[in-house]
Amino acid sequence: MFRLAISLKIGATMRPVFPSSGKRFYKKKSWKMQRKKASSLDNFQAFYSEQFGKDWPSIMESLSQTTQHCAVVNKFSFQEEVHEKLSSTEAEFLNISIFNSHEDIQTELQLNCYFPNSSNRVRFPKQDKTSNSYFDYYLLDASSMLPVLALDIYTNNAVLDMCAAPGGKTVLVSQLLSNHGSLVASEISNTRRANLIKVIKDYIPKISKSKELVEVRNLTGHKFATYEPSTYDRVLVDAPCSSDRHNLQTNFEYSVWSEMKSKANANLQKKLLLSALQTVVPGGIVVYSTCSMSVFENDAVIDEVLSKCTQNNDLKVEVLDSQFTNQPIADMFNFQQTRNGILVLPSKTKNWGPLYFCKLQRFAVESRAEFQKDNAVSSGIQ
């Protein structure tokens, strides 16, 4: 009886044990993720179908294809070894000059690269260090060169790469600078900054034991205007964006796509561009770029920043012609001239991009008295 009582008592306090719900939770989470991915693709298709109209199906098909690359020869490597290695590929060697806006700028400034032509897809050998311990070339989408070429860099310029990781454009800028120039590469993400530092060490030497050609910072882009006003000759703002092609090809695994998200990106992009226009010296050049096709992140950002500059009497800014359309390299890209800049779009035979870039210049502002006098004269007030 005693044993029975104990048995019943224990039985009364027992709870049913069910199999682990981990799999069920995983399935629920997976289902939500699949729904987000499908929603992102629907949003992506609907938005760009409206923006590009009848051209969208062709653009979408090209976006889905494997990204093509060109190889930019690293001038700090042992170049004879590089040319020997790449001459066996089916890529064409080209000297691509910067987009000259000024007659007195150095015409010898150029990037040396191996460029696939429109009729073949080149698989480049793996990058490696040459005998002087620097990597031989940098692989990237050829459209990524365009914002750097549009900066009109002089060899002795002080240049800021405001959103520098992963480091491709930092490497390109370094190819155009002499030991009298300087380059600040800023990145706020610890992980991305660590990768940026590695790229710089692999590709770019020090000027001397105590001086670097490239200084790495972790300052948030919109704070440069406060801490370093009127400091740099050239500023590149390769802004965080929707990364359309990457997100499409990774099936929106890392980021959802929606019109609202694109507009949210634009809010940050405006702050970065406005900061860049204040940290560049009067007379200096800023190039703004994204790898998004969204008008919200491209022309609309430029429009709003220009409007804010118009309201600020201390900041006079104008959009400049990048001179891209006058360059021989323009024939290698499928592009549209937009209200403020250039939008490179992938096509079946010219599968580069997407990439948008716009060139702006900050001008010196007259003294307050001169400014008010000019306004009075233009208004007919004597």
Side-chain angles (χ1 to χ4, degrees), residues 265-289:
N265 289 337
N267 289 331
L268 171 61
Q269 292 158 352
K270 293 167 196 172
K271 293 178 182 178
L272 294 174
L273 180 55
L274 197 57
S275 176
L277 291 166
Q278 294 172 82
T279 198
V280 76
V281 298
I285 301 294
V286 173
V287 171
Y288 171 83
S289 66

Side-chain angles (χ1 to χ4, degrees), residues 119-252:
S119 61
N120 67 342
R121 180 171 292 276
V122 175
R123 190 175 184 85
F124 288 100
K126 184 180 178 181
Q127 297 127 295
D128 204 354
K129 291 184 178 181
T130 57
S131 55
N132 69 349
S133 299
Y134 292 103
F135 270 76
D136 41 15
Y137 53 89
Y138 196 94
L139 291 176
L140 75 173
D141 184 314
S143 65
S144 296
M145 295 189 294
L146 305 183
V148 174
L149 294 169
L151 268 173
D152 278 2
I153 292 176
Y154 285 81
T155 58
N156 62 348
N157 278 162
V159 183
L160 168 63
D161 187 355
M162 185 177 278
C163 312
K169 293 181 179 67
T170 301
V171 171
L172 297 186
V173 171
S174 74
Q175 307 297 301
L176 303 172
L177 294 175
S178 69
N179 289 349
H180 300 291
S182 63
L183 172 57
V184 170
S186 190
E187 177 55 51
I188 60 172
S189 163
N190 291 335
T191 303
R192 288 169 62 82
R193 189 169 61 256
N195 292 333
L196 172 65
I197 291 171
K198 184 180 185 308
V199 167
I200 290 170
K201 287 181 176 179
D202 284 341
Y203 283 89
I204 307 168
K206 293 183 177 182
I207 295 174
S208 65
K209 289 184 178 180
S210 59
K211 185 180 179 182
E212 304 271 3
L213 176 62
V214 184
E215 178 188 350
V216 178
R217 301 259 191 93
N218 63 345
L219 184 62
T220 303
H222 59 78
K223 291 185 178 180
F224 274 95
T226 302
Y227 292 111
E228 295 186 329
S230 302
T231 300
Y232 298 95
D233 302 302
R234 303 288 186 267
V235 180
L236 175 63
V237 186
D238 189 34
C241 65
S242 294
S243 302
D244 289 337
R245 189 166 195 163
H246 174 73
N247 279 327
L248 178 65
Q249 292 191 347
T250 56
N251 196 24
F252 304 97

